[in-house]
Amino acid sequence: MSEKDKTTEEKILEAARRIFVEKGMAGARMQQIADDAGINKSLLHYYYRSKDKLFLAVFRMAIRDFIPGIKGIIFSDISVYEKLDLFIKRYMDVLLSKPFVPMFILQEIQRDPERLFNVFLEAGIRPDYILKEFERSIDKGVIRGIDPKHLIINVLSLCIFPIAARPMMQRMFYANDPAAYQQFLNERKAVVSDFVINAIKP
Amino acid sequence: MSEKDKTTEEKILEAARRIFVEKGMAGARMQQIADDAGINKSLLHYYYRSKDKLFLAVFRMAIRDFIPGIKGIIFSDISVYEKLDLFIKRYMDVLLSKPFVPMFILQEIQRDPERLFNVFLEAGIRPDYILKEFERSIDKGVIRGIDPKHLIINVLSLCIFPIAARPMMQRMFYANDPAAYQQFLNERKAVVSDFVINAIKP
DNA sequence: GTCTATATCGGGATAGAC
DNA sequence: GTCTATCCCGATATAGAC
């Protein structure tokens, strides 16, 4: 689909996504979103009644993009180690294809965690199932005794943080070379998987 | 020092810190900072000429609070494992005593990474030394062959993320019980240290 | 140093023509 | 559906009295 064939609504959503991620909800300007989308400011209000509604639309879109690939893995019928490996790789793939999501969600976590929690619930994201599975694996001695909550948060940390903190890490470790850091993030899929698996092997 | 003995300037800085962390630079309101400090809005401008200057003051204070305990460890003369263990525990202690710092810095990373990088440089924060030390340890076979950059970023991720994402994690895993999550974070010092050390043992 | 009052401006939102 | 013009509130910032 060429740039011109995009509906106005699509152009708005994409522009809004860019600006909201860069500036956050409060820092974003409707004018800038309109400019970025190549349309008039009033049209934003025509399609979405308010800034808040536009933000929510972008937000839901981000969540939806983000989820489908993940849920399949969690409920699939493979070993814990395969599951962890697959999850980490798939999860990082999704994050790399939507690198704006981490900061977007972190900002929303501060702004209104309850609303975010409900969006997650709607999407069927709950830790219960995987928590139980880790517990069983620990009981069976398949993985080392670590509180499953810590394990989950470790995995999330290792995947999310390097993307959220990208501008600084890229500057510090790669003299601000985007291609080099991208390469680093690609390697990271295997590195994190190894790291976690080594850490929890009995 | 009682609440009353604090100078106006101190009261402003503390209030500003709270509000800036909660709302971010753009979302924060001078009025709210003034209310929170129990003073008049104009006084903010009397002490700090503008919102941006106030933000910068809070920011530098945050960095300064944050650094001293850390640097000592990096250059101390102990084994890599002891150093990692000590660093993780001390670093998380600092983060726990200044829990606003992670989001504050993450926001600033998006807003102006170059300025932040320079503030870090001023404070003497550079990854070179520890990077080299990890390399030597890998060459000697003391730790498993992992790209030292990944190792550093893993440690940072594991320490920082759970605090930055606290409101959501607390809601998901502890039914929003702050004391329970605080307890979780305290445990975490030892858990992360174990996790990392297990992951890199040859 | 601290307050009240006010200037000034930017930005979200709406009205209305086409 | 898309544009121009405009409203109006809220927020930063300043002036000036005490």
Side-chain angles (χ1 to χ4, degrees):
Chain A
M1 179 164 62
S2 82
E3 197 65 24
K4 286 213 161 170
D5 290 344
K6 282 185 196 136
T7 67
T8 303
E9 209 165 341
E10 285 168 332
K11 285 191 286 184
I12 292 176
L13 277 179
E14 282 177 29
R17 195 200 67 189
R18 274 191 296 275
I19 307 299
F20 278 136
V21 170
E22 191 187 333
K23 311 276 173 140
M25 163 66 178
R29 296 288 158 249
M30 296 295 269
Q31 184 62 61
Q32 198 180 356
I33 293 173
D35 293 348
D36 209 62
I39 53 134
N40 191 283
K41 198 173 56 153
S42 307
L43 270 188
L44 296 180
H45 290 90
Y46 175 77
Y47 281 94
Y48 304 86
R49 273 177 39 87
S50 71
K51 185 183 182 182
D52 198 66
K53 291 227 170 58
L54 174 57
F55 181 81
L56 205 61
V58 170
F59 191 67
R60 284 185 205 280
M61 183 185 66
I63 301 280
R64 269 197 306 276
D65 283 0
F66 182 77
I67 284 163
I70 303 307
K71 281 176 67 183
I73 296 169
I74 289 176
F75 295 104
S76 69
D77 192 24
I78 51 180
S79 79
V80 214
Y81 284 104
E82 285 173 303
K83 203 173 274 197
L84 267 171
D85 179 65
L86 216 63
F87 177 85
I88 289 168
K89 284 172 179 160
R90 183 83 65 88
Y91 191 58
M92 284 204 66
D93 271 336
V94 180
L95 290 177
L96 285 173
S97 71
K98 322 271 175 195
F100 60 93
V101 171
M103 268 316 288
F104 201 68
I105 292 189
L106 276 171
Q107 279 175 15
E108 196 58 12
I109 283 180
Q110 319 302 315
R111 227 175 62 95
D112 192 344
E114 199 57 34
R115 168 158 117 173
L116 180 59
F117 183 74
N118 288 327
V119 176
F120 280 161
L121 270 192
E122 274 175 38
I125 299 180
R126 318 163 104 268
D128 321 15
Y129 182 85
I130 195 70
L131 223 44
K132 289 263 165 54
E133 175 158 4
F134 283 150
E135 270 164 31
R136 280 197 305 277
S137 300
I138 291 164
D139 288 346
K140 281 193 283 182
V142 178
I143 65 180
R144 185 169 79 76
I146 179 179
D147 179 341
K149 296 193 193 75
H150 282 289
L151 179 51
I152 293 177
I153 291 186
N154 286 355
V155 170
L156 295 179
S157 303
L158 292 167
C159 294
I160 294 172
F161 178 82
I163 295 176
R166 172 170 190 159
M168 186 80 266
M169 300 297 120
Q170 184 172 296
R171 180 70 183 79
M172 271 203 153
F173 292 103
Y174 290 98
N176 228 6
D177 176 352
Y181 196 74
Q182 193 61 41
Q183 166 64 15
F184 170 82
L185 288 176
N186 283 329
E187 278 169 30
R188 217 177 140 69
K189 281 177 256 179
V191 172
V192 168
S193 178
D194 278 10
F195 191 83
V196 171
I197 286 170
N198 271 306
I200 61 173
K201 267 192 313 210
Chain B
M1 181 166 59
S2 82
E3 196 66 22
K4 286 213 163 173
D5 291 343
K6 281 184 196 135
T7 67
T8 303
E9 208 163 342
E10 285 168 332
K11 283 192 284 183
I12 291 177
L13 277 179
E14 281 176 32
R17 196 199 67 190
R18 275 192 294 274
I19 306 299
F20 278 135
V21 170
E22 190 187 336
K23 310 277 172 137
M25 163 66 179
R29 296 289 156 246
M30 295 294 268
Q31 182 63 62
Q32 198 181 356
I33 293 173
D35 293 349
D36 210 62
I39 53 131
N40 190 282
K41 201 173 47 155
S42 308
L43 270 188
L44 297 181
H45 289 90
Y46 175 77
Y47 281 95
Y48 304 86
R49 271 175 41 86
S50 69
K51 184 183 182 182
D52 198 67
K53 292 228 171 55
L54 175 56
F55 180 80
L56 205 62
V58 171
F59 190 66
R60 284 185 203 280
M61 182 186 66
I63 301 280
R64 267 198 306 274
D65 282 0
F66 181 77
I67 284 164
I70 302 306
K71 282 176 67 182
I73 296 170
I74 289 176
F75 295 103
S76 70
D77 192 27
I78 49 180
S79 79
V80 214
Y81 285 104
E82 285 173 303
K83 205 173 271 197
L84 268 171
D85 178 65
L86 217 63
F87 177 84
I88 289 168
K89 283 172 181 162
R90 183 84 63 90
Y91 192 57
M92 285 205 65
D93 271 336
V94 180
L95 289 177
L96 285 174
S97 72
K98 322 272 177 193
F100 60 93
V101 171
M103 267 315 290
F104 203 69
I105 292 189
L106 277 170
Q107 280 175 14
E108 195 59 11
I109 283 181
Q110 320 300 317
R111 229 174 63 95
D112 192 343
E114 199 56 35
R115 168 158 116 173
L116 180 59
F117 183 73
N118 287 327
V119 176
F120 279 161
L121 271 192
E122 273 175 39
I125 300 181
R126 318 165 101 269
D128 322 13
Y129 182 85
I130 195 71
L131 222 44
K132 288 263 164 55
E133 175 158 7
F134 283 151
E135 270 163 32
R136 280 197 304 276
S137 298
I138 291 164
D139 288 346
K140 282 191 282 182
V142 179
I143 66 180
R144 184 168 79 77
I146 178 178
D147 179 340
K149 297 195 193 72
H150 282 289
L151 179 51
I152 294 176
I153 291 185
N154 286 357
V155 170
L156 295 180
S157 303
L158 292 168
C159 293
I160 295 173
F161 178 82
I163 294 176
R166 173 170 190 159
M168 184 82 269
M169 299 298 120
Q170 184 172 296
R171 181 68 184 78
M172 271 203 154
F173 293 104
Y174 290 98
N176 229 5
D177 175 352
Y181 196 75
Q182 193 61 40
Q183 165 64 15
F184 170 82
L185 288 176
N186 282 329
E187 278 170 30
R188 216 177 142 71
K189 281 177 258 180
V191 172
V192 168
S193 178
D194 278 9
F195 192 84
V196 170
I197 286 169
N198 271 305
I200 61 172
K201 267 193 312 211

